Amino acid sequence: MCVVRISPTSARAAERLLTVDEALERILARVHPLPPREMPLLDALGRTLAVDVVADRDVPPFRNSAMDGYAVRGEDVASAPVRLRVVGAVAAGGVPERAVARGEAMRIMTGAPMPDGADTVVRVEDTDNADDVVTVTVATPTGLSVRQAGEDLARGTTVLRAGSLLRPAEIGLLASLGIPRPSVVGRPRVAVLSTGDEVVEVTESPGPGKIRDANRYSVASAILASSCEPQLRSIVRDTPEALRAALHDAMSADAIVTSGGVSVGDHDWVKPVVSELGTLDVWAIAIRPGRPLAFAQLRGDGRVVPLFGLPGNPVSALLTFELFVRPALLRMSGRTKLQRPRARATLLDPLDKPGFLRFFARAIYDPTAGTVGLTGPQGSGILRSMSLANCLVDAPAGPSRIAAGESVEVILTDLPEDH
Ligand code: AMP
Ligand code: MG
């Protein structure tokens, strides 16, 4: 979104380069979780719990059978065969009509409450399944096939912490606890803009000097994949009026992501236009791809809307989204785990990179072999390098070549954040 008049090779420029960690730290210090709201259970899937959830009762609420069979006293079935008098039956949803005494058994179905006196269930397969006097054919240890009250969730315990991601299992836990409208952090609505006079709609056939807009769709998809709500806005022409109008419009969202226009050679008016609406930082980050990154805080109507200005090259845009925007959106979504899992792997191909930059190579990690191979040409305009990849090699600043056979760190970008 702004002019960065520095030459990457000059010593002065090198001093001003930010590391990835510094840039991320600055961004994360400036974004905050959206306010919580209550919503129906199914709508809460994929969102973040806003409050701790404490079990107000035991789940399951009563001792019950884990099998279809006979409720007995464990001492009676310590050895087999043994014959027991059948004193009744209890089904799921029913209540036992009497207790079980020595030498007795009660037919019981999975999920039915255990009768008093019984502490063990003998599976129907381990009996002759008789009605009046049942023969237990297999010795059964005391306590087998009985689910204790509270063994899933014990009353008074914190079952889920604020910041937990709600997956199907968590939705089930909330249902078990009788919470039809959990309090969750809102899902950020993120306006997505592309900038550039050369960029045309996906439906258009590009004329001379024009290219189709890849970034609005790839970035919007990355926003969706971050469990946020993308709002496709327009392609913004390279004029102050167009940008001013587009940003005014986009400020109704919770965050704005633009692509293009942050590299050397763009127009001087970007900075003044953004500065009319708030504060703007343009950072040269010591990475490839994706060196320039703009971060702004736009102010209006008592709100602060973060704006991320990504580079225009399609790989740079998605990579900087992954490194900087996704963690910020996750934080806005209330998540506390912002870092993808990592692994070490043996590099299959030599990797050449600028020595002074941290390089993120698109690659294919094979967890079985413990290897990682590059996805071919790594130019920042070659989106296929990313499409073929299942990870990024995180090559540190320092060396300008990493030889095949060396051990490298990979970021597992197909897996959810785990720390
Ligand atoms: P910029 O960051 O605006 O200087 O753009 C850098 C490169 O990315 C140029 O080759 C642009 O044509 C290209 N580019 C910019 N925006 C897009 C877009 N939305 N889709 C595909 N390529 C783009
Ligand atoms: Mg441009």
Short mmCIF file of all heavy atoms in Angstrom, two decimals, residues 163 327 330-331 334-340 416-419:
data_model
loop_
_atom_site.label_atom_id
_atom_site.label_comp_id
_atom_site.label_asym_id
_atom_site.label_seq_id
_atom_site.Cartn_x
_atom_site.Cartn_y
_atom_site.Cartn_z
N GLY A 163 -11.05 -20.05 24.94
CA GLY A 163 -9.99 -20.16 23.93
C GLY A 163 -10.00 -21.51 23.24
O GLY A 163 -9.30 -21.67 22.24
N PRO A 327 -2.33 -15.75 11.92
CA PRO A 327 -2.24 -15.68 13.39
C PRO A 327 -3.04 -14.51 13.96
O PRO A 327 -3.67 -14.64 15.02
CB PRO A 327 -0.74 -15.49 13.65
CG PRO A 327 -0.05 -15.97 12.42
CD PRO A 327 -1.00 -15.73 11.28
N LEU A 330 -6.68 -15.43 13.88
CA LEU A 330 -6.96 -16.43 14.92
C LEU A 330 -7.05 -15.75 16.28
O LEU A 330 -7.93 -16.07 17.08
CB LEU A 330 -5.89 -17.53 14.92
CG LEU A 330 -5.85 -18.43 13.69
CD1 LEU A 330 -4.79 -19.51 13.84
CD2 LEU A 330 -7.21 -19.07 13.41
N ARG A 331 -6.12 -14.81 16.52
CA ARG A 331 -6.22 -14.09 17.79
C ARG A 331 -7.53 -13.32 17.88
O ARG A 331 -8.20 -13.32 18.92
CB ARG A 331 -5.04 -13.13 17.95
CG ARG A 331 -5.27 -12.13 19.07
CD ARG A 331 -4.03 -11.63 19.68
NE ARG A 331 -3.33 -12.69 20.39
CZ ARG A 331 -2.18 -12.54 21.00
NH1 ARG A 331 -1.59 -11.36 20.99
NH2 ARG A 331 -1.61 -13.54 21.62
N GLY A 334 -10.25 -15.32 19.04
CA GLY A 334 -10.18 -15.81 20.42
C GLY A 334 -9.26 -17.00 20.61
O GLY A 334 -9.12 -17.52 21.71
N ARG A 335 -8.62 -17.45 19.55
CA ARG A 335 -7.74 -18.63 19.69
C ARG A 335 -6.48 -18.23 20.45
O ARG A 335 -6.00 -17.11 20.35
CB ARG A 335 -7.32 -19.15 18.32
CG ARG A 335 -8.48 -19.54 17.46
CD ARG A 335 -8.73 -21.01 17.43
NE ARG A 335 -9.65 -21.25 16.33
CZ ARG A 335 -9.29 -21.83 15.19
NH1 ARG A 335 -8.07 -22.29 15.02
NH2 ARG A 335 -10.17 -21.97 14.23
N THR A 336 -5.94 -19.23 21.15
CA THR A 336 -4.70 -19.00 21.87
C THR A 336 -3.52 -19.74 21.23
O THR A 336 -2.37 -19.38 21.46
CB THR A 336 -4.85 -19.43 23.34
OG1 THR A 336 -5.38 -20.76 23.35
CG2 THR A 336 -5.81 -18.51 24.08
N LYS A 337 -3.81 -20.75 20.44
CA LYS A 337 -2.74 -21.46 19.73
C LYS A 337 -2.60 -20.85 18.34
O LYS A 337 -3.53 -20.94 17.54
CB LYS A 337 -3.05 -22.95 19.63
CG LYS A 337 -3.05 -23.63 20.98
CD LYS A 337 -3.45 -25.08 20.88
CE LYS A 337 -3.43 -25.71 22.27
NZ LYS A 337 -4.04 -27.03 22.27
N LEU A 338 -1.47 -20.23 18.09
CA LEU A 338 -1.31 -19.46 16.87
C LEU A 338 -0.23 -20.01 15.95
O LEU A 338 -0.01 -19.48 14.87
CB LEU A 338 -1.00 -18.00 17.21
CG LEU A 338 -2.00 -17.30 18.15
CD1 LEU A 338 -1.58 -15.86 18.41
CD2 LEU A 338 -3.41 -17.35 17.59
N GLN A 339 0.47 -21.03 16.37
CA GLN A 339 1.61 -21.54 15.61
C GLN A 339 1.32 -22.93 15.07
O GLN A 339 0.87 -23.81 15.80
CB GLN A 339 2.86 -21.62 16.51
CG GLN A 339 3.31 -20.28 17.05
CD GLN A 339 3.99 -19.43 15.99
OE1 GLN A 339 4.59 -19.95 15.05
NE2 GLN A 339 3.88 -18.12 16.12
N ARG A 340 1.64 -23.13 13.79
CA ARG A 340 1.48 -24.45 13.18
C ARG A 340 2.50 -25.42 13.77
O ARG A 340 3.58 -25.02 14.19
CB ARG A 340 1.76 -24.36 11.69
CG ARG A 340 0.89 -23.39 10.93
CD ARG A 340 -0.36 -24.04 10.44
NE ARG A 340 -0.95 -23.25 9.37
CZ ARG A 340 -2.15 -23.45 8.88
NH1 ARG A 340 -2.90 -24.43 9.35
NH2 ARG A 340 -2.62 -22.71 7.90
N PRO A 416 -3.68 -27.98 11.81
CA PRO A 416 -4.07 -26.85 12.64
C PRO A 416 -2.99 -26.46 13.65
O PRO A 416 -2.16 -27.30 14.04
CB PRO A 416 -5.32 -27.34 13.36
CG PRO A 416 -5.32 -28.82 13.23
CD PRO A 416 -4.50 -29.17 12.03
N GLU A 417 -3.02 -25.22 14.05
CA GLU A 417 -2.07 -24.69 15.03
C GLU A 417 -2.13 -25.52 16.32
O GLU A 417 -3.23 -25.86 16.78
CB GLU A 417 -2.40 -23.22 15.35
CG GLU A 417 -2.00 -22.25 14.27
CD GLU A 417 -2.91 -22.27 13.03
OE1 GLU A 417 -3.92 -22.99 13.03
OE2 GLU A 417 -2.58 -21.55 12.06
N ASP A 418 -0.95 -25.84 16.86
CA ASP A 418 -0.95 -26.66 18.08
C ASP A 418 -0.19 -26.00 19.23
O ASP A 418 -0.06 -26.57 20.29
CB ASP A 418 -0.37 -28.06 17.78
CG ASP A 418 1.11 -28.01 17.40
OD1 ASP A 418 1.66 -26.89 17.20
OD2 ASP A 418 1.73 -29.09 17.32
N HIS A 419 0.34 -24.81 19.01
CA HIS A 419 1.01 -24.11 20.11
C HIS A 419 1.04 -22.61 19.84
O HIS A 419 0.67 -22.17 18.75
CB HIS A 419 2.42 -24.64 20.34
CG HIS A 419 3.37 -24.39 19.21
ND1 HIS A 419 3.26 -25.06 17.98
CD2 HIS A 419 4.43 -23.58 19.07
CE1 HIS A 419 4.23 -24.65 17.18
NE2 HIS A 419 4.94 -23.75 17.79
#
